[in-house]
């Protein structure tokens, strides 16, 4: 398994002209993901931290000027030779959750999916606040199923703990 380092991920983002605000968002997602990984490891659940870090940093690499940033990001990172990272990117979004191939299943996939739902712009917020923003921004889009799914993931990852 080849996983880019944190420095390599940041270089990939810069080399692909990812705007600073999306890089800031991705760094915040990475911070949340590491807090969740810490919590799981305290419960003796092994997490591939390098894989989580890379996927968290690269998850929105195709956010700008794309029709489907999840698919385009997945394909791009896979083309760079990082198939394990690309699979997590494929499973970080809300739009494709009805398709089983896009549902996060591993700890690493769930961590990145969840961490992304805890960061609005570059600020850590509650799932409720994040979904309020999603609903407002994409008002034609009913997010109840996705919200419920995210709350299930939250309970599985955090239990009664908070980050």
């Amino acid at each position: 398994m080849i996983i880019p380092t944190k420095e390599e991920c940041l270089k990939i983002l810069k080399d692909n002209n990812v705007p600073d605000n999306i890089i800031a968002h991705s760094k915040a997602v990475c911070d949340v993901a590491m807090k969740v990984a810490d919590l799981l490891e305290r419960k003796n659940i092994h997490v591939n931290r390098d894989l989580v870090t890379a996927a968290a940093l690269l998850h929105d690499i195709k956010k700008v000027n794309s029709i489907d940033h999840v698919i385009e990001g997945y394909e791009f990172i896979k083309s760079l030779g990082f198939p394990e990272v690309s699979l997590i990117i494929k499973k970080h979004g809300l739009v494709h959750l009805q398709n089983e191939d896009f549902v996060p299943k591993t700890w690493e996939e769930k961590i990145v999916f969840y961490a992304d739902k805890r960061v609005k712009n570059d600020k850590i917020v509650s799932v409720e606040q994040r979904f309020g923003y999603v609903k407002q921004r994409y008002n034609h889009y009913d997010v109840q199923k996705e919200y419920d799914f995210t709350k299930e993931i939250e309970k599985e990852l955090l239990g009664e703990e908070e980050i």
Side-chain angles (χ1 to χ4, degrees):
M1 181 183 313
I2 301 171
I3 302 168
T5 65
K6 188 172 189 172
E7 294 71 27
E8 289 169 326
C9 291
L10 294 172
K11 183 175 179 347
I12 290 167
L13 292 169
K14 286 285 187 198
D15 289 350
N16 285 277
N17 301 312
V18 175
D20 289 343
N21 65 314
I22 292 177
I23 293 174
H25 165 79
S26 297
K27 286 179 176 177
V29 169
C30 188
D31 291 344
V32 171
M34 289 300 101
K35 289 177 184 174
V36 174
D38 290 343
L39 193 125
L40 290 174
E41 287 179 343
R42 286 197 297 274
K43 297 177 184 178
N44 293 317
I45 297 169
H46 173 72
V47 173
N48 185 329
R49 296 173 74 86
D50 294 336
L51 184 58
V52 170
T53 296
L57 289 172
L58 297 172
H59 78 281
D60 277 347
I61 190 158
K62 293 295 181 180
K63 186 77 173 182
V64 178
N65 299 325
S66 79
I67 294 168
D68 186 334
H69 83 279
V70 171
I71 301 287
E72 291 176 38
Y74 158 74
E75 289 172 350
F76 178 67
I77 296 302
K78 188 176 178 185
S79 78
L80 295 181
F82 306 118
E84 293 85 3
V85 176
S86 72
L87 267 179
I88 295 175
I89 291 169
K90 179 180 177 179
K91 297 181 180 190
H92 89 272
L94 293 172
V95 178
H96 301 285
L97 277 178
Q98 72 284 359
N99 181 331
E100 196 61 30
D101 289 344
F102 291 83
V103 175
K105 294 181 178 69
T106 69
W107 288 115
E108 292 81 6
E109 291 167 354
K110 289 175 182 179
I111 291 169
V112 174
F113 173 89
Y114 174 72
D116 185 42
K117 307 313 169 279
R118 287 293 306 272
V119 178
K120 176 185 168 197
N121 301 320
D122 63 348
K123 303 285 183 263
I124 299 171
V125 297
S126 68
V127 171
E128 291 75 14
Q129 289 169 307
R130 181 73 156 97
F131 273 84
Y133 168 75
V134 169
K135 198 168 189 166
Q136 179 184 10
R137 182 157 183 211
Y138 309 101
N139 60 6
H140 63 282
Y141 183 51
D142 180 16
V143 294
Q144 189 62 48
K145 273 198 306 209
E146 291 85 354
Y147 171 81
D148 292 343
F149 179 79
T150 303
K151 291 301 281 184
E152 282 177 38
I153 298 272
E154 179 176 60
K155 190 171 174 76
E156 184 179 359
L157 293 174
L158 305 185
E160 299 304 313
E161 306 258 353
E162 289 191 20
I163 54 163

